[in-house]
Amino acid sequence: MLQVLLLVDLDNDTSVPVFQVCEWHSPEQLKKLLDLELRDGGEAESEILQRCRDAIRYSVKTSHPRFFNQLYAGMEPYSMVASFIAEAVKTNLYTYEVAPVFTLMEDAVLRKMIKVIGWEEGGDGIFNPGGSLSNMYAVNLARYRYCPDFKEVGMFSAPRLVILTSQEVSVVSCLRSEFCVFFRGRMIPSALEEKIMLAKSEGAVPFMVNATAGTTVLGAFDPIDEIADICEKHNLWLHVDACWGGAAIMSKKHKHLLKGIHRVDSVAWNPHKMLMASLQCSAFLVRDKTSLLQHCHSARASYLFQQDKFYDVSYDTGDKSVQCSRKPDAFKFWLMWKALGSRELEQRVDRALAMARYLAEEIKKREGFRLVLEPEYANVCFWYLPPSMRNLPESPELWKKLHTVAPVVKQRMMKKGSMMVGYQPLGEKANFFRMVVISPQVSRQDLDFVLNEIHNLGKDL
Ligand code: ABU
């Protein structure tokens, strides 16, 4: 729906080609184009309308079928309608008295997600602004379980606490590289156990393992079942960052990627990624049934959470959160799930992964393209070698040259506005492209276009 709106808007403005993903300007140029200064007097409505047109015009069209830059893309119309409604009714999800509808909807969505994860006994959860926050909640709860008087006595009474994770985590980085254990982007369970023993031998206290289901760059899945065995043995909290890969659980064909997730203590899952809910829509889910979330974060603000209210105050969910103000993001997922049903969500996941597989096979067929590794999920990572580099022997010099290719191709695609594809280095690996296939609006032709366009933009390098 928004896509149509955007295209119509641009269509009326003949200076902008209809199908550009972005209209690139440097920050200095854009500041001038937008006239950002706020003045004493207000502007006329016609000028304000132009401001709105400009805001759309110069924004990146992330719902364009050739936007592949991030772990979100495309437009889910029902979710967008929910966003509009949530903004229009303008409420705050801390108490039932100001957000009765959204409080119940959040509860319903969380229950359904918990059921899908397979926590038979139920659990708890909260929507919050982004996966990093969800991961922080997990750390808080794991630490609180280990040390329930943490809020009173503070950190100084605690031993040296250790969290173990793989090096390919999203934005949470390893504090000490020797506690990072991974292979092909996946955690190696035997190495994990060695590191737990290492930490203990140094007098530190491992209390939590963070596994990842769908790493940001490679889309790798840690072996949750095997990691759960180790966590049970050592009594460690197991959190899974499934912000990106959690959607695979909706698919009978692909849920094996998350095998064992019903055994973990907590999960971060962002429906705004693969499932295309409007930004932001990010859930933290916990298997605990003892109100750990509430006990850990409660500040008992007496002006919000009066215990002598006339209704059941267990519906005042805001005291579980580190935030005060909180948007009713669950509604954006609830409405689309209601409209589409679980079956359609499943089909979307299956389709996205089938398209990613198509792209990987195309890459293998084409001269000058090389996969970084076989994709496990919807991330397709590859290098493009321009003709001038194709016959060079594999050497550090070649990799050094190759490292410069993706940034130039990226600059050219953005200045042309033809598409957006991300690139990054990874450890010692030279810059490579990362295609992320999500939206059902993406066709095989769009994927062919990407490969042709990369060649066209980079063949002279
Ligand atoms: N939360 C990490 C998302 C980064 C990306 O969209 O690539």
Side-chain angles (χ1 to χ4, degrees):
M1 208 183 318
L2 182 60
Q3 196 179 359
V4 174
L5 181 80
L6 296 178
L7 295 181
V8 169
D9 186 72
L10 293 173
D11 216 8
N12 287 336
D13 184 343
T14 48
S15 64
V16 184
V18 170
F19 291 115
Q20 268 185 254
V21 178
C22 59
E23 188 184 330
W24 167 258
H25 296 282
S26 70
E28 288 314 314
Q29 288 168 333
L30 193 54
K31 277 183 206 170
K32 287 195 192 115
L33 285 166
L34 293 176
D35 180 17
L36 294 164
E37 195 184 330
L38 300 170
R39 302 184 179 87
D40 290 343
E43 291 186 343
E45 263 184 30
S46 58
E47 284 173 296
I48 291 302
L49 196 56
Q50 188 54 41
R51 304 277 172 221
C52 296
R53 284 202 189 94
D54 287 347
I56 296 172
R57 172 175 174 169
Y58 299 118
S59 288
V60 171
K61 310 300 177 294
T62 64
S63 50
H64 194 291
R66 290 178 185 164
F67 175 84
F68 300 100
N69 209 66
Q70 307 302 150
L71 299 184
Y72 64 88
M75 174 50 62
E76 170 36 62
Y78 294 105
S79 196
M80 193 190 61
V81 167
S83 301
F84 284 159
I85 293 171
E87 292 301 328
V89 302
K90 191 183 174 182
T91 197
N92 211 323
L93 196 52
Y94 36 51
T95 60
Y96 182 81
E97 68 185 82
V98 291
V101 173
F102 299 133
T103 299
L104 298 182
M105 282 177 177
E106 180 177 63
D107 182 57
V109 178
L110 289 169
R111 276 174 206 265
K112 184 74 179 177
M113 293 173 92
I114 284 168
K115 195 164 175 219
V116 170
I117 286 172
W119 290 336
E120 308 257 314
E121 318 262 288
D124 198 359
I126 195 162
F127 275 76
N128 61 69
S132 302
L133 261 288
S134 292
N135 293 335
M136 182 205 76
Y137 274 107
V139 174
N140 286 358
L141 292 201
R143 188 178 58 179
Y144 189 78
R145 186 186 66 165
Y146 174 76
C147 185
D149 57 355
F150 221 93
K151 283 165 79 177
E152 285 78 37
V153 296
M155 294 204 48
F156 298 108
S157 64
R160 208 173 114 231
L161 297 171
V162 168
I163 304 172
L164 294 107
T165 190
S166 90
Q167 208 153 356
E168 294 306 312
V169 291
S170 48
V171 290
V172 185
S173 58
C174 295
L175 293 178
R176 283 186 53 189
S177 59
E178 64 266 41
F179 293 136
C180 296
V181 281
F182 77 112
F183 170 69
R184 287 173 63 88
R186 273 184 233 132
M187 194 181 278
I188 311 166
S190 59
L192 171 67
E193 190 150 28
E194 278 169 27
K195 303 299 179 190
I196 292 169
M197 300 316 289
L198 172 69
K200 286 184 177 177
S201 73
E202 289 183 3
V205 177
F207 72 107
M208 172 181 180
V209 172
N210 174 67
T212 311
T215 56
T216 301
V217 177
L218 300 177
F221 286 70
D222 289 338
I224 298 171
D225 232 0
E226 292 167 66
I227 295 168
D229 289 341
I230 295 169
C231 289
E232 276 172 17
K233 183 171 155 194
H234 294 274
N235 191 27
L236 305 182
W237 183 283
L238 176 52
H239 172 68
V240 177
D241 176 344
C243 289
W244 170 224
I249 207 166
M250 300 301 294
S251 158
K252 286 186 269 309
K253 190 169 172 194
H254 299 289
K255 69 198 285 186
H256 64 90
L257 291 167
L258 295 143
K259 186 166 174 284
I261 196 154
H262 62 287
R263 299 173 61 193
V264 315
D265 294 293
S266 56
V267 173
W269 176 4
N270 291 2
H272 71 231
K273 290 191 159 122
M274 175 60 90
L275 295 178
M276 288 172 61
S278 294
L279 273 165
Q280 290 180 330
C281 191
S282 172
F284 172 70
L285 302 140
V286 57
R287 187 149 62 111
D288 165 82
K289 293 265 292 168
T290 66
S291 304
L292 205 55
L293 199 50
Q294 167 108 19
H295 295 314
C296 180
H297 298 116
S298 167
R300 299 192 194 94
S302 57
Y303 47 85
L304 283 175
F305 307 118
Q306 303 90 331
Q307 294 302 296
D308 51 1
K309 285 184 185 179
F310 62 95
Y311 60 85
D312 178 354
V313 290
S314 69
Y315 286 97
D316 286 353
T317 52
D319 212 19
K320 295 179 187 179
S321 167
V322 293
Q323 298 174 249
C324 184
S325 296
R326 199 163 62 87
K327 281 178 164 285
D329 292 329
F331 178 44
K332 296 184 275 194
F333 194 29
W334 180 87
L335 193 67
M336 63 177 273
W337 202 332
K338 230 7 189 179
L340 303 173
S342 307
R343 270 198 299 277
E344 174 64 20
L345 297 181
E346 173 174 21
Q347 280 167 17
R348 288 188 180 185
V349 173
D350 288 348
R351 186 177 185 282
L353 296 200
M355 293 299 262
R357 177 43 49 198
Y358 168 80
L359 180 65
E361 294 307 320
E362 278 303 300
I363 285 169
K364 285 193 228 170
K365 281 186 213 157
R366 292 193 186 212
E367 212 191 335
F369 286 84
R370 194 160 138 188
L371 280 177
V372 174
L373 81 178
E374 279 294 335
E376 223 182 330
Y377 194 49
N379 311 44
V380 184
C381 296
F382 62 93
W383 287 284
Y384 167 70
L385 283 94
S388 69
M389 297 182 196
R390 288 184 197 162
N391 295 323
L392 298 178
E394 191 147 333
S395 64
E397 286 68 45
L398 173 62
W399 287 107
K400 211 166 145 192
K401 279 189 179 177
L402 191 55
H403 191 64
T404 63
V405 171
V408 176
V409 173
K410 174 74 182 240
Q411 183 194 126
R412 290 175 179 177
M413 74 175 77
M414 289 209 60
K415 289 193 171 164
K416 191 173 165 193
S418 56
M419 61 184 192
M420 280 181 69
V421 180
Y423 77 87
Q424 64 286 296
L426 188 66
E428 299 296 297
K429 290 193 195 310
N431 277 323
F432 56 86
F433 292 104
R434 179 197 66 169
M435 276 285 289
V436 176
V437 187
I438 298 176
S439 168
Q441 288 131 9
V442 172
S443 65
R444 286 184 175 203
Q445 285 82 352
D446 290 313
L447 300 179
D448 293 338
F449 174 87
V450 167
L451 300 183
N452 294 337
E453 183 75 344
I454 288 177
H455 175 65
N456 287 334
L457 295 172
K459 63 186 177 212
D460 62 319
L461 296 172

